[in-house]
Amino acid sequence: EAGVAQSPRYKIIEKRQSVAFWCNPISGHATLYWYQQILGQGPKLLIQFQNNGVVDDSQLPKDRFSAERLKGVDSTLKIQPAKLEDSAVYLCASSFVRVAGANVLTFGAGSRLTVL
Amino acid sequence: QQQVKQSPQSLIVQKGGISIINCAYENTAFDYFPWYQQFPGKGPALLIAIRPDVSEKKEGRFTISFNKSAKQFSLHIMDSQPGDSATYFCAAIMEANNNAGNMLTFGGGTRLMVKP
């Protein structure tokens, strides 16, 4: 079974620039998550999709972050304009069903963003 | 609001020793407690998990101890090996909550180093 694919793995941008991250979940996984992991901290959920609908985006800074999952498969996370505090690893994860407890949440390797 | 507190932040153990990582939670509605292991440059991977109706779960060298009344749980790694060197995250979720916004809440992480 192929894992969760993410790209790019690394990105360095200047503040106020924009950046986009791409995620391809495990085939058949209806639920897709984007997490932000700041260095030395645990992952924090930004947004959760069920198929192509948003289930929870309460912790997404909507003034600068946006995400979409148009066809219920791949997803993109965009930051515009970026701030210094956005420097983090952006993890994409997927699970078979929305309840992520007993159903294994599989993470991708992440996209590391550095904002200068 | 930090709903899951994890300690210590870092831990150094000799090969063959016991590694102990502790977590405490606030929300009594949490009903599923997974532990994730993260190697550098990789996403977190599910290691072991427990529900509050049992006080202990063992899988190989990894054991979770759960104290429901104290709202605490811990991960014990017996006979620790250099290959166990990684960052460990405890987490919690309300598995029974099928409403929107059911999210996995992570602790801050513990960086474990096992010395040969």
Side-chain angles (χ1 to χ4, degrees):
Chain A
E1 178 183 73
V4 177
Q6 288 189 248
S7 67
R9 288 297 313 275
Y10 306 93
K11 189 74 176 179
I12 300 174
I13 62 173
E14 306 239 332
K15 60 182 179 183
R16 290 187 288 275
Q17 287 186 325
S18 63
V19 63
F21 302 113
W22 172 83
C23 172
N24 180 242
I26 291 174
S27 178
H29 279 194
T31 312
L32 184 147
Y33 313 77
W34 283 101
Y35 281 84
Q36 180 191 56
Q37 186 176 22
I38 293 173
L39 185 64
Q41 299 182 18
K44 184 187 83 171
L45 181 68
L46 292 176
I47 189 168
Q48 177 180 338
F49 291 94
Q50 177 73 9
N51 296 309
N52 61 349
V54 175
V55 172
D56 178 24
D57 62 358
S58 58
Q59 298 191 86
L60 188 73
K62 297 180 187 64
D63 58 334
R64 299 182 300 104
F65 286 65
S66 64
E68 60 183 14
R69 193 185 185 198
L70 292 176
K71 297 183 179 180
V73 180
D74 293 5
S75 176
T76 56
L77 175 71
K78 296 179 182 178
I79 307 174
Q80 182 181 12
K83 291 185 175 181
L84 296 177
E85 58 261 37
D86 298 332
S87 294
V89 175
Y90 291 86
L91 294 164
C92 179
S94 69
S95 65
F96 184 64
V97 292
R98 181 164 59 87
V99 177
N103 294 285
V104 176
L105 193 65
T106 303
F107 284 88
S111 295
R112 181 180 295 274
L113 173 66
T114 301
V115 182
L116 302 176
Chain B
Q1 180 185 10
Q2 187 180 6
Q3 296 193 55
V4 181
K5 295 183 180 180
Q6 184 172 345
S7 63
Q9 286 187 315
S10 62
L11 180 62
I12 300 175
V13 174
Q14 289 294 131
K15 178 182 176 181
I18 302 173
S19 303
I20 301 174
I21 304 171
N22 300 300
C23 284
Y25 62 97
E26 299 168 5
N27 191 341
T28 55
F30 287 140
D31 55 9
Y32 187 76
F33 301 87
W35 284 88
Y36 284 81
Q37 180 188 54
Q38 186 176 29
F39 292 104
K42 304 289 186 182
L46 180 66
L47 183 64
I48 187 173
I50 196 168
R51 289 188 171 83
D53 54 344
V54 297
S55 59
E56 185 175 282
K57 183 173 181 180
K58 184 176 180 179
E59 290 184 2
R61 296 184 294 108
F62 300 91
T63 300
I64 302 178
S65 298
F66 192 89
N67 186 330
K68 188 175 181 178
S69 61
K71 294 187 287 184
Q72 295 175 347
F73 57 111
S74 59
L75 176 70
H76 295 234
I77 306 174
M78 312 299 288
D79 187 26
S80 298
Q81 299 296 311
D84 297 330
S85 297
T87 300
Y88 292 82
F89 294 96
C90 60
I93 191 170
M94 288 173 273
E95 193 177 42
N97 179 6
N98 275 311
N99 295 327
N102 184 20
M103 67 179 73
L104 196 63
T105 301
F106 285 87
T110 297
R111 179 173 288 185
L112 171 66
M113 180 185 295
V114 181
K115 289 190 169 182

